[in-house]
Amino acid sequence: MAGRRAVAGIGPGALLALRALLAAAHPQCLDFRPPFRPPQPLSFCVQYSSFGCCTAEQDAALARRFRALETRLDAGMWATCAGYALDLLCQECSPYAAHLYDAEDPATPLRTVPGLCEDYCLDMWQTCRGLFRHLSPDRELWALESNRAKLCRYLSLDDTDYCFPSLLVNENLNSNLGRVVADAKGCLQLCLEEVANGLRNPVAMVHAGDGSHRFFVAEQVGLVWTYLPDLSRLEKPFLNVSQAVLTSPWEGDERGFLGLAFHPHFPHPRKLYVYYSVGVGFREWIRISEFRVSGDDENTVDHGSERIILEIEEPASNHNGGQLLFGDDGYLYIFTGDGGMAGDPFGTFGNAQNKSALLGKVLRIDVNRNERGSLYRIPPDNPFVDDPGARPEVYALGVRNMWRCSFDRGDPMSGTGRGRLFCGDVGQNKYEEVDLVERGRNYGWRAREGFECYDRKLCTNASLDDVLPIFAYPHKLGKSVTGGYVYRGCEYPNLNGLYIFGDFMSGRLMSLRENPETGQWKYSEVCMGRGQTCAFPGLINNYYPYIISFAEDEAGELYFMSTGVPSATAARGVIYKVIDPSRRAPPGRCQIHPTQVTVKSRLVPFVPKERFIRTPESTPRPTARAPTKAPRRRRPTAAPPAPTQRPTKPTKPARPTRRPGARKGGGRRRGRPSTAVPEPQNGSVRLVRPAGLSPGRGRVEVFVGGHWGTVCDDAWDTKAAAVVCRQLGFAHAVRAAKRAEFGEGRALPILLDDVRCAGSERNLLECAHAGVGTHNCKHEEDAGVECSHQDPDL
């Protein structure tokens, strides 16, 4: 029977450890998903009407099995045993059904009878031992029918807290059943689902609102990719403005492609709007442009249709803002930074407090019906249209660098909260803040940072009339807020109304929930579930630390994007869907029916790479090191860089930007003491080739930290091969060999995985890669190359 047999090849100590891990049960149904509240009360298993694992259809099926049992048993036995039959059948509806039936443990077969507590089993055996053969087809169980001790041992659970019926009265299990689980420190335990990977700083994910349930993901370099509801990606980019976008490989560079939004009535008109950085020489500016989707391919933008709606010059390379949103009013909202440098030093009071400047603002414009005449108009109810000293586009002022804003969809039933505008505003020296943005209001920068004064003279000015944030946190919690969304999706009812956001520098996920009576917001940190909390198929409990952006899909489900290397050229970005493991909506309630779109590009299927990590405690926040500083202009009047970009020594050499006037990379290498046989330098490579192979062909081995090891990478390509071949003195890389075509380095550690090269790097360590020694592959995937002195194209 399930759970009773030792797994072959596992010793007693390992089995004890395995059982200790499996003992941390969590609510889970037999379909490997969280329990739910049935849409209507159950008529048979009534005890699980408020929360459990059965729909009305499943409940009716159990009732039919119960009636069938009645016909097979004599009346006397049925009168005695009907209660036992009812109890056992209905455990399929228990919130802990997966644990009762051993469905959580993939090493054991599914039980046919739920795990029973010993005293209950012994009592049942006395009068109803013959019932078991009618409940279960398990012949091994039948053979034990006459032996009470062996039968009840066979039906027992190792973790007695979860056996039936004791789990019904276990206060620890039932006190918070169906609620979002918090650990001992009050951290809300959620889980994640990986939905996309291999992205270069994914800065935005949006949907078109057209019923297709596609989502469009923008990379900082200026490419936007189309993903279908099955998570496959179109090979051809939806939009490619990478030649026009200004960014660099420097970690933490804030310039680049920063935002996009579809027209609220898409596809009529077929318009979308984008926000990106451009520059010529020492001049830089941000550009908001309008594009049209191609009439021939609904998954491709007509690149010749670009119309520049607005451009704003940037005096520095940071604080570029970057959010575009359409409100329920149909107007386009644009969120700009204050222009960069520390303390908003521009003009008398800074850009953010200057109503005649477009920087440090929330702007609102009307781009509807702009085919003729002006590319945009001013909404008549904009707050400063009658102020001769203000730009009429200004909707709100006093913001430093709002990074990621969102409109609340409102409660799905009552509509409460709909239209509220939430923004995360990145702070200066001490505080990060979350604001509720309203028409005509002043959010305080540079007079105020968070709740505290920054410029004391401005702060005491009675005419400031600034609005305090709904929440602010000090830099011991994080140094660069990433605004999020209020969850209004269908799949996880417990999350409704929870504002989830994060911090780019610390990797924290955080949440706020409003008290409707007081208007105050309660803070809770979000952590990844401990033990088995996230042990559902397809779920994970870890993420990359640099939280770049949040998103919601067309159905309102919540996602966030983060990366392991915050460089626009490092393909280490992943998109995660937020999952509540404690409760889901009833099956069938949240089904989507995407409208069909014609696909002309080849589809790239999604292959998840992240893995669930079993931990006894909540998964700690990922540790993020400070990214290398983005390039700034050298000008004698420049203020010190903002603390949110305080540089630290990178763990690998940073490639310098090629932009004229930007800071050059460099620095002296540390030498090694000379020896009779010089030790290879970090990043050195060698080819190991089986007998019979010509020179220039073989398995790649790399030297790192005093050891030789292999490169194990199922995405190994010719750009990485070119780096290796050049190091070995060959002029050309003919081919990148995969999956140990030239042999496996079984005696060596796997040192590098997920290698992504541009092709010009000096060695593989300068390419983007997973942490040294961190990998998710085997030696059968060891990489190889074929190098040549002859140009293969000649």
Side-chain angles (χ1 to χ4, degrees):
M1 193 69 177
R4 308 283 67 79
R5 308 180 188 92
V7 181
I10 300 180
L15 276 175
L16 287 174
L18 175 65
R19 287 171 179 167
L21 286 170
L22 295 174
H26 59 302
Q28 182 176 324
C29 301
L30 291 178
D31 63 357
F32 307 107
R33 300 202 60 203
F36 53 89
R37 185 186 302 277
Q40 58 267 350
L42 305 181
S43 57
F44 180 64
C45 298
V46 293
Q47 66 269 44
Y48 298 114
S49 288
S50 60
F51 191 67
C53 290
C54 284
T55 61
E57 292 76 17
Q58 292 169 301
D59 184 60
L62 291 171
R64 289 193 294 271
R65 288 173 59 189
F66 182 77
R67 290 192 294 270
L69 279 174
E70 183 179 8
T71 63
R72 295 201 297 268
L73 299 176
D74 64 73
M77 184 177 182
W78 183 246
T80 303
C81 302
Y84 286 115
L86 175 70
D87 280 349
L88 299 187
L89 286 174
C90 283
Q91 292 323 295
E92 292 187 21
C93 298
S94 167
Y96 293 100
H99 198 72
L100 286 166
Y101 288 86
D102 274 349
E104 291 180 318
D105 185 356
T108 58
L110 191 71
R111 289 175 178 261
T112 54
V113 175
L116 303 181
C117 300
E118 186 175 12
D119 55 350
Y120 179 90
C121 179
L122 295 175
D123 288 343
M124 182 178 175
W125 186 89
Q126 293 283 1
T127 54
C128 297
R129 74 190 74 170
L131 181 63
F132 286 116
R133 63 177 52 244
H134 296 284
L135 288 170
S136 170
D138 183 4
R139 294 187 178 275
E140 190 174 348
L141 174 63
W142 296 1
L144 298 174
E145 186 177 287
S146 61
N147 190 318
R148 183 174 70 168
K150 287 185 177 181
L151 177 73
C152 290
R153 190 158 55 247
Y154 190 80
L155 292 175
S156 67
L157 282 179
D158 291 331
D159 44 349
T160 56
D161 286 342
Y162 294 90
C163 62
F164 179 81
S166 291
L167 85 168
L168 298 179
V169 294
N170 187 321
E171 186 175 346
N172 290 332
L173 292 180
N174 294 287
S175 59
N176 292 307
L177 190 61
R179 302 177 185 175
V180 179
V181 178
D183 67 9
K185 297 180 180 179
C187 194
L188 302 181
Q189 297 184 64
L190 299 180
C191 306
L192 302 174
E193 178 187 352
E194 180 189 3
V195 298
N197 52 39
L199 292 158
R200 293 167 294 182
N201 270 13
V203 293
M205 167 184 159
V206 301
H207 61 84
D210 60 353
S212 70
H213 289 269
R214 295 172 291 174
F215 58 92
F216 302 85
V217 178
E219 295 179 314
Q220 189 177 355
V221 291
L223 287 104
V224 179
W225 303 97
T226 306
Y227 288 81
L228 300 183
D230 65 359
L231 304 184
S232 60
R233 176 178 65 82
L234 272 62
E235 187 176 54
K236 182 179 180 181
F238 176 70
L239 174 68
N240 184 353
V241 289
S242 57
Q243 295 302 309
V245 167
L246 174 65
T247 189
S248 79
W250 282 88
E251 296 180 11
D253 192 342
E254 298 176 23
R255 303 164 304 173
F257 190 99
L258 301 175
L260 75 159
F262 283 83
H263 193 281
H265 301 303
F266 185 87
H268 307 291
R270 301 169 69 89
K271 293 180 179 179
L272 67 149
Y273 297 83
V274 301
Y275 186 128
Y276 61 94
S277 304
V278 291
V280 175
F282 287 93
R283 289 187 59 238
E284 294 179 10
W285 59 96
I286 54 176
R287 174 181 291 168
I288 288 82
S289 286
E290 175 189 276
F291 285 90
R292 285 183 174 272
V293 173
S294 170
D296 298 325
D297 186 350
E298 56 190 318
N299 292 305
T300 304
V301 162
D302 176 1
H303 290 80
S305 68
E306 181 175 15
R307 297 200 300 169
I308 298 172
I309 299 294
L310 178 66
E311 291 188 330
I312 306 170
E313 186 158 359
E314 284 278 2
S317 62
N318 57 346
H319 301 187
N320 300 293
Q323 182 78 57
L324 292 178
L325 294 173
F326 277 96
D328 287 343
D329 52 19
Y331 298 135
L332 179 62
Y333 290 72
I334 303 167
F335 301 81
T336 65
D338 65 7
M341 302 190 189
D344 193 6
F346 308 103
T348 306
F349 305 113
N351 282 324
Q353 291 298 323
N354 181 0
K355 295 178 185 175
S356 67
L358 294 180
L359 293 171
K361 305 293 188 300
V362 179
L363 310 177
R364 184 174 72 155
I365 62 175
D366 182 356
V367 293
N368 296 293
R369 298 173 299 280
N370 64 350
E371 287 76 13
R372 297 182 181 179
S374 175
L375 291 171
Y376 70 87
R377 294 183 296 277
I378 305 299
D381 62 338
N382 267 14
F384 304 112
V385 289
D386 297 323
D387 185 343
R391 288 290 296 260
E393 296 92 341
V394 174
Y395 180 78
L397 68 151
V399 306
R400 184 175 181 271
N401 190 37
M402 283 184 165
W403 182 246
R404 294 318 180 225
C405 302
S406 63
F407 281 106
D408 185 356
R409 291 186 179 212
D411 183 272
M413 301 298 292
S414 67
T416 302
R418 183 176 180 88
R420 293 184 300 181
L421 178 52
F422 290 81
C423 285
D425 197 6
V426 179
Q428 177 73 48
N429 296 323
K430 294 182 179 180
Y431 297 98
E432 306 296 306
E433 66 183 67
V434 176
D435 295 302
L436 265 177
V437 175
E438 297 176 339
R439 174 184 175 274
R441 304 308 298 268
N442 184 343
Y443 291 87
W445 177 250
R446 72 183 189 199
R448 197 183 302 275
E449 178 189 11
F451 294 110
E452 304 295 325
C453 287
Y454 178 81
D455 183 323
R456 295 192 177 277
K457 185 176 180 180
L458 273 179
C459 191
T460 56
N461 189 327
S463 65
L464 186 67
D465 192 27
D466 60 326
V467 179
L468 294 177
I470 61 170
F471 180 71
Y473 61 93
H475 278 186
K476 67 179 180 181
L477 295 182
K479 296 182 179 180
S480 184
V481 66
T482 300
Y485 281 79
V486 177
Y487 180 84
R488 299 297 188 186
C490 171
E491 295 180 13
Y492 304 106
N494 282 344
L495 301 185
N496 183 40
L498 193 69
Y499 177 72
I500 297 179
F501 63 109
D503 189 277
F504 175 79
M505 293 296 291
S506 69
R508 287 180 188 269
L509 285 171
M510 298 173 275
S511 72
L512 299 172
R513 188 180 288 277
E514 185 181 22
N515 182 327
E517 297 179 358
T518 65
Q520 299 297 308
W521 294 81
K522 180 183 178 182
Y523 169 80
S524 295
E525 190 167 348
V526 174
C527 52
M528 298 295 97
R530 67 181 175 87
Q532 294 236 121
T533 303
C534 298
F536 295 92
L539 298 194
I540 57 175
N541 58 349
N542 57 95
Y543 58 92
Y544 283 117
Y546 297 100
I547 301 173
I548 301 174
S549 191
F550 285 78
E552 61 180 7
D553 63 17
E554 197 164 351
E557 300 305 323
L558 182 64
Y559 303 75
F560 72 91
M561 288 145 275
S562 68
T563 183
V565 179
S567 164
T569 58
R572 297 287 302 281
V574 178
I575 301 179
Y576 305 94
K577 183 179 181 180
V578 176
I579 306 291
D580 173 18
S582 63
R583 178 187 170 195
R584 59 168 157 154
R589 173 169 291 182
C590 303
Q591 288 182 339
I592 62 170
H593 302 283
T595 57
Q596 293 297 309
V597 294
T598 302
V599 175
K600 297 185 176 182
S601 171
R602 189 176 79 88
L603 291 177
V604 180
F606 170 62
V607 179
K609 292 188 175 182
E610 306 306 312
R611 298 289 181 266
F612 171 78
I613 300 174
R614 199 180 303 278
T615 58
E617 299 299 331
S618 301
T619 303
R621 291 180 306 279
T623 302
R625 62 180 175 85
T628 53
K629 186 170 59 179
R632 291 189 300 112
R633 290 189 189 83
R634 292 177 178 172
R635 51 172 77 186
T637 57
T644 53
Q645 292 185 326
R646 189 176 298 126
T648 62
K649 183 178 179 180
T651 58
K652 63 178 182 179
R655 294 179 58 210
T657 176
R658 296 176 182 174
R659 175 176 156 266
R663 190 178 69 179
K664 302 293 183 183
R668 181 177 302 170
R669 294 188 176 214
R670 292 180 179 176
R672 295 182 180 274
S674 61
T675 60
V677 180
E679 189 175 57
Q681 291 185 340
N682 275 348
S684 295
V685 291
R686 67 187 181 190
L687 289 190
V688 177
R689 52 192 177 98
L693 277 186
S694 60
R697 303 171 70 194
R699 181 181 69 246
V700 175
E701 294 182 359
V702 63
F703 187 86
V704 185
H707 301 281
W708 285 101
T710 66
V711 179
C712 178
D713 195 339
D714 55 3
W716 180 254
D717 62 18
T718 54
K719 291 181 179 179
V723 174
V724 171
C725 292
R726 190 167 55 253
Q727 277 185 267
L728 297 170
F730 291 89
H732 304 283
V734 178
R735 190 166 62 94
K738 300 180 182 180
R739 302 193 67 82
E741 181 175 333
F742 298 139
E744 301 176 35
R746 296 184 181 181
L748 297 175
I750 299 171
L751 293 183
L752 292 183
D753 187 18
D754 294 337
V755 176
R756 299 292 182 275
C757 301
S760 59
E761 293 88 347
R762 290 174 295 180
N763 58 56
L764 295 179
L765 295 183
E766 290 191 3
C767 303
H769 56 77
V772 173
T774 301
H775 62 89
N776 58 2
C777 51
K778 300 177 182 178
H779 278 296
E780 65 184 15
E781 296 176 57
D782 283 349
V785 297
E786 186 173 347
C787 306
S788 175
H789 293 294
Q790 301 289 325
D791 188 340
D793 296 325
L794 294 180

